[in-house]
Each structure stands twice: as structure tokens, then as C-alpha cells.
Amino acid sequence: MREIVSIHVGQCGNQIADRYWRLILREHGLDDSGVPKQGSNVASNANMEVFFTKIREGKYTPRAVLVDLEPGVIARIEKGEMSQLFDEGSIIRKIPGAANNWARGYHVEGERVIDQIMNVIDAAVEKTKALQGFLLTHSIGGGSGSGLGSLILERLRQAYPKKKIFTFSVAPSPVISDAAVEPYNAILTLQRIKDNADAAVILDNEALFRIAKSKLHRAPNYMDLNHIVGLIMSSVTASLRFPGKLNTDLGEFVTNLVPFPGNHFLTASFAPMRAAGAEGQVRMPFPDLARETFAQDNFTAAIDWQNGAYLSACALFRGDVKAKEVEENMAAIRKSLNFVTYIPTGVKIGVAETAPEGFASSGLALVNHTGIAAVFERLISNFNIMFDNHAYTHWYESAGVSRDMMAEARDCVTELAKSYRDAT
Amino acid sequence: MDQTLDKQLASATRSVEEARRLAYRDPSRVGDLVEQISVLADLRQKEGDFRKAESLYREALFRVQDLKKPDSSLTAGIYSLLAYLYDRWGKMDLAAQYYEKALKLSESDDVTDPDKSATIKNNLAMIFKNLKNTQKAEQYYHEALEGFTKLYGENHSKVAAVYNNLGVLYYAGMDIERAQKVHERALEIRQNLTSGEVDPGDLSQTYINLGAVYKALGNFQQAEECVTKAKRLRAEQSGYVPAPRRSASLLQDKTA
């Protein structure tokens, strides 16, 4: 069994967890407390233990660790429909909060809680037979998800050097912003993601907002955005959880998607996009599905499509799709994508039999595009404006992060952006 | 790997998880969690995984400190467990640091456990000896001596143990005369202990240490006598397995 342990950090990370586990539960025919629903065929669901621990006959609990420095979101999950789902021993709540400050999450509060987190993760890992890797969900703009998330990433890499670490990182939006210090937090976190993760799916709040708005035809809320993230996450792992003709696992994703070390920042697209609960069993013709999967405005980060090129791409189709159709349509799509000249490979394709609940079929694209440099450059320029004027840096210095450390992170991300531009 | 250790680890891990759940529901149950954690950390050390043991103790430490009213004696206990771990791990600086923290707490008003603080002083002295800070080591040995004497009187096995340690320190510093004096004092106490109190291993160790002192002084005949006595003691107790002792209360006096 190739198990995956999910780690959800901070407010955003746990909100995603809320949506994501709901989806996964439904896909596996479990009710909100992890008990198989009447009539659901658990036997055909043999790979359930990738994401769940069977604690006894007829009761499953997610292989998940929930961490937050503020009790709010986790308390809501605990009081909600999934109150019986998570193992209380793997929920870590602390009161003080990181106050939107990366340094507090990384040093001050983080130091006091990281050991407990790692012990809980170790305990979750001990329950696996052949751990495949970790999924980490967090935002990189806040304090807990970014600072504490960075610390967790570093420790995870130390403790499990050979396991795959995937992050789903929500980047601060260029327009809508919660806090002035978001660029600082984001840059400091990106450096850690670059150094310690195997792949990071960058989710841009603004892009998510735009997608939600255009596809849902109404003003979206955070639940909608998190729902999209949940759909993407469930699809990334679908071929592991369900039988299929073409299987891809985390390791294969990484091998195919990361042509150069460090250039492992991906964007994703999910089709067909529907609001939570409003999917209906609409059947989409495969050519349309494939086209929407690779539509530029369907991707979750503000990529610079004009001045960039594809380094690599993976596609995963779920549900009622025919291998022949996939081959024919993807060959055409492959031709329409602007790949870098020196990587002549095609698109790595996976197929899983079970579609997400409510969908007849679905498509996921996970791509490595050099245009992602634009996301970094935007953050760097926002970072520099404040940093050069010494704005807010005292908060970081007083929590143990020097200006040198911040400058080092900026240089690292600048280098990263440049390496993407150079690769074009 | 050792199968019984594997089983013990698995069951200790389960106990810790259960304790975590209880503590999550009711923070006042952290004491139970600390207890379970210390068992698991002990096993981790046995397994040789110091990093995990450290991580476990630190979890316990911060959990206790996060309580509204942290229990000082519990905190002091965790400090000394951590210190003992660092000692075995070879991280002497950290060991000294944590023993000093433990000492400070165990001498604070709401704990006052003179036996514990004297024990910590003895352990601290050993760390400083290893750090080659002879002056501090000597000072702490004297303080430990004072503490134990005040508690148990002049002729107690713990007093003898500290004398023995002090002798080892003097000997290492080539201060043979003083080494002889304290080793003879340790011997005197140990010889006069009742058979229930005396640990033949300790006694033979004193003979060996004293033998080394005599040899250094050129007194070979007495040295040989001592060694013979030690050998006899060892032979008598062959088959004897020293019982494992609780880490925090452990007086290590076999480092000669």
C-alpha cells in the first residue's frame, strides 16, 4: 500500500482540509464519520488505505495531521459534520497565533510546537506499510501556514529524506490582499519550498477567484475556492486510490514534471469546473473535457503565457473515458501547447476509473510552465518596495529573522524566477 | 532489530497516542501524557534514536509549560531527563544547560527536593568534568556532598558515591594526594555499610580507583592488594546483573 500522509497547516490549510476530506470521503463511499455508507461497495475500493487508516471493521480515519496556531478553523471542523472523523491525537492547536508574521510561526511559536507536530507525524508514518509521501496544504502569505509550514517542511525533509513531499501552496493574490506583509511571508516560504519540497502546486487566490467567478456565474466565496483546491488534490492522488489503466504516483509526477532541480513549481487545472453540490451528472464530450483541462484561463496561477513555454505536463482523466479517445485528443492538444524546444516529450497521461462524486468524467492538468516566473517576480517586486524602505522588517527581526535572512530568501527566489526565464 | 523492543515500542507508541487524545480533550491530563512520553522516549534511546527521544521530551516540556499553572517539579523532571539524554548523546553543553535549568527549578520555593537537587549537582559535576571544566566540576561535587551529608549524614552510600566521583576528578587532574584522601573516605563509608546497603560493584570500583592512586604514588604493594580485593568482589558477584535505574535519579559513579 502506498500511503500518503496529509498535513494541513494554518487557517487556509485547514479550510482546504475541510473541503478536501469531504470530497475524498464521498469518493470512497464513506459518511462524515468515516463509516462506509449502506450499499457502498468497499471491496472494490481496495486502495482506500492510501488515505485512511482502518481503525476497526467499518471505521476509517484519515491519515491527516491538522495544525493551527489559532483554534478557530479546526474548532469549526470539529463542531461540524465531520466531528467524528479525525483522530484527536493528530490535531494540534495552540492558542497564541502567529500574527501574520512568518518569523513567529517559524521561530517563536513554531519552536514550541514543532516537536509535537513531528511526533504526531512520526506516529502517523508508523501506521503505514510503505509510505509514499506527504501532502502539505497551507497558504504562503499568512503567519502559521507560511512560517510554521516552512519549519515543518524543513523537519520533514530531515526526517524523511527519501519520501516525496508535495505542497499545495496558496499564494497571496496581487490584487486582493489580507495583510501588507504577505510578500515577506511568501518569499521566505518559497525559499523553503524550493529547498525542501519535491513539488509545489501554486494556487493563486486571484486566479482561483477568476475561475470560480467565470464558471460559477456568481460571486464566489472562500468555500468555492477551497472546493477547487480540494478537487485538484483529490485528482492528483486519484490514480493511486482507484484502479486504472494508466497509473501515476507522486514519484512519477515528480520525475516527469521536474526537468531541473528546484524548478518544481507547478500549476494545475481542473475540468469541468462546477460549484460544490451543483455538479449534476452532466456528461461532457471528451474533446471538450480535454480542451477545458488545458485551457489557459482554467489554470490556478497567474502564469505569463505570452513569454513562457511548457517544460512538462501531466494529465489525469477520471471516470468514463476511453483510452482511444484520450490518445487521439491528447495528440492534438499536445501539438497546440507551446513546449520548450529542447524537451520533445509528450504529455504524461494517467487514467483512473472512478470520477469524483457527481462527475461522469473529469480532467486534471498538472504543468510546469516557465511563465510561473511572473508569479515570483510580482512577489519579489512587492517585497523589494517594502524591504528597501525597511517597512515592517522590525517585526521579523524581533522574532529572530534578520534582514540578511530575508535578503537571502529574496535572492533565492529571484534566482528561481531567473532560472525559469532562462529555461524558456 | 530486537523483536521485544519492537513490541515495546509499538505498545508505548499506542499509549502515547491515547494519552495525546486524552490531553487534547482535557489539558489537565498532560501529566499522564508526560509519563507515557517518558516511557516511549526511554525505549527510543534504547533503540539508539536520540533525535526522536529528544523530540518527545520537548513535546512533553512545552505541553507542560503551556498549562495555566505549570507543575514545577514535573518541568524539572523533564529538564533532567533531557539533560540525561544529551549527556548520553554526547551533547555535553546542552546537558549542562538543562541540568542547570532543572537545578534552578528544583531549588525554587514550590519544589524544594534536596535529594533531587543534590543528585542533579552530582550529575552536573560529571558533565563539567567531561567538558574539562574542573573548577566547576569540583564546586558542584562539593555542593552535592554538602547536600547529601545534610540529608543522610556522613556515612551514606550516596555520600560515598560523590566522594568516589570527586576522587576520580582529582586523579584525572593529577592531584593524587587529594584523590587518595577522598577515595579512602569513600572506602571507609562503603566498608561500613550494612550488606543490604552496599553495592559490591561500587565497593570493588572504589578498590580499583584506590589501587590506581596507590600505583601512581609508587606504592605497588598496596595497589596490588586493592586490585586483588576488587577482583575477589567481582568474582563473588559474577552473574550479578545491575538493575536498570531511573535516569533522573541515577548516580553514575562508574566512569573511572
Side-chain angles (χ1 to χ4, degrees), chain A residues 74 78 87-89 91-94 111-113 115-116 118-120 122-124 126-127 159, chain B residues 9 13 17 20-21 24-25 37 44 51-52 54-63 65-66:
Chain A
I74 292 181
E78 285 187 304
D87 179 356
E88 285 172 325
I91 302 177
I92 298 143
R93 287 190 300 187
K94 287 269 166 164
E111 288 279 297
R112 297 179 66 85
V113 71
D115 291 294
Q116 188 186 346
M118 290 311 292
N119 293 342
V120 170
D122 286 344
E126 270 162 34
K127 292 200 196 100
Chain B
L9 272 170
T13 306
E17 279 182 8
R20 263 195 208 115
R21 274 173 217 136
Y24 184 78
R25 262 173 251 156
I37 280 181
R44 289 282 178 218
R51 187 193 62 78
K52 275 193 182 162
E54 180 197 25
S55 187
L56 285 163
Y57 284 139
R58 283 173 61 93
E59 173 182 354
L61 180 64
F62 294 130
R63 288 295 281 263
Q65 286 181 346
D66 279 348

Side-chain angles (χ1 to χ4, degrees), chain A residues 244-356:
Chain A
K245 289 173 204 81
L246 297 159
N247 277 330
T248 49
D249 69 9
L250 293 185
E252 276 184 51
F253 274 130
V254 174
T255 314
N256 284 287
L257 286 170
V258 184
F260 307 111
N263 287 14
H264 54 235
F265 291 83
L266 315 174
T267 36
S269 153
F270 179 86
M273 197 60 77
R274 302 274 158 69
E279 294 92 353
Q281 281 277 1
V282 185
R283 222 192 123 81
M284 203 174 188
F286 186 79
D288 292 349
L289 180 69
R291 211 173 307 122
E292 188 179 332
T293 305
F294 278 90
Q296 290 183 353
D297 61 1
N298 208 32
F299 279 89
T300 54
I303 296 266
D304 179 3
W305 298 103
Q306 304 304 316
N307 301 309
Y310 279 91
L311 286 171
S312 54
C314 279
L316 193 125
F317 296 102
R318 303 178 60 184
D320 188 12
V321 292
K322 292 186 181 64
K324 190 164 165 269
E325 265 186 326
V326 173
E327 262 169 50
E328 286 170 5
N329 285 284
M330 287 313 293
I333 285 180
R334 162 75 184 85
K335 272 187 205 128
S336 71
L337 302 177
N338 175 25
F339 269 82
V340 290
T341 49
Y342 53 87
I343 302 181
T345 49
V347 181
K348 164 91 185 166
I349 297 166
V351 177
E353 277 171 12
T354 316

Side-chain angles (χ1 to χ4, degrees), chain A residues 38-253:
Chain A
Q38 280 272 308
S40 73
N41 189 357
V42 183
S44 72
N45 223 330
N47 294 350
M48 188 120 95
E49 290 187 30
V50 172
F51 271 104
F52 294 93
T53 313
K54 186 178 187 175
I55 38 179
R56 58 172 185 272
E57 203 53 52
K59 166 79 182 165
Y60 293 83
T61 191
R63 297 184 194 277
V65 178
L66 276 57
V67 185
D68 203 356
L69 297 178
E70 291 157 339
V73 179
I74 292 181
R76 236 167 290 142
I77 294 177
E78 285 187 304
K79 285 194 196 105
E81 294 146 14
M82 297 194 291
S83 59
Q84 301 300 311
L85 183 65
F86 294 100
D87 179 356
E88 285 172 325
S90 59
I91 302 177
I92 298 143
R93 287 190 300 187
K94 287 269 166 164
I95 308 303
N100 257 323
N101 182 343
W102 188 90
R104 288 189 67 81
Y106 184 77
H107 276 309
V108 186
E109 310 303 342
E111 288 279 297
R112 297 179 66 85
V113 71
I114 185 66
D115 291 294
Q116 188 186 346
I117 296 169
M118 290 311 292
N119 293 342
V120 170
I121 293 174
D122 286 344
V125 170
E126 270 162 34
K127 292 200 196 100
T128 65
K129 294 191 189 79
L131 177 74
Q132 172 172 190
F134 303 93
L135 299 183
L136 179 86
T137 67
H138 63 155
S139 83
I140 62 175
S144 313
S146 70
L148 184 56
S150 296
L151 186 58
I152 293 173
L153 271 176
E154 286 182 356
R155 292 290 200 92
L156 263 187
R157 183 44 85 218
Q158 266 174 26
Y160 302 97
K162 290 189 175 158
K163 300 298 177 194
K164 296 284 173 275
I165 303 175
F166 252 63
T167 74
F168 289 83
S169 306
V170 177
S173 144
V175 184
I176 328 149
S177 172
D178 286 342
V181 291
E182 278 179 350
Y184 286 160
N185 297 335
I187 295 288
L188 284 159
T189 310
L190 282 172
Q191 183 191 13
R192 270 74 192 178
I193 294 177
K194 177 176 178 281
D195 292 345
N196 299 294
D198 291 288
V201 181
I202 299 295
L203 305 149
D204 193 316
N205 255 341
E206 200 199 31
L208 287 171
F209 210 78
R210 193 197 63 231
I211 295 167
K213 205 172 168 187
S214 69
K215 297 284 153 62
L216 307 180
H217 309 295
R218 62 176 165 81
N221 53 30
Y222 272 105
M223 290 289 260
D224 294 321
L225 306 191
N226 292 330
H227 184 70
I228 299 174
V229 179
L231 283 170
I232 289 168
M233 284 182 70
S234 80
S235 283
V236 167
T237 53
S239 58
L240 284 157
R241 293 181 288 124
F242 297 107
K245 289 173 204 81
L246 297 159
N247 277 330
T248 49
D249 69 9
L250 293 185
E252 276 184 51
F253 274 130

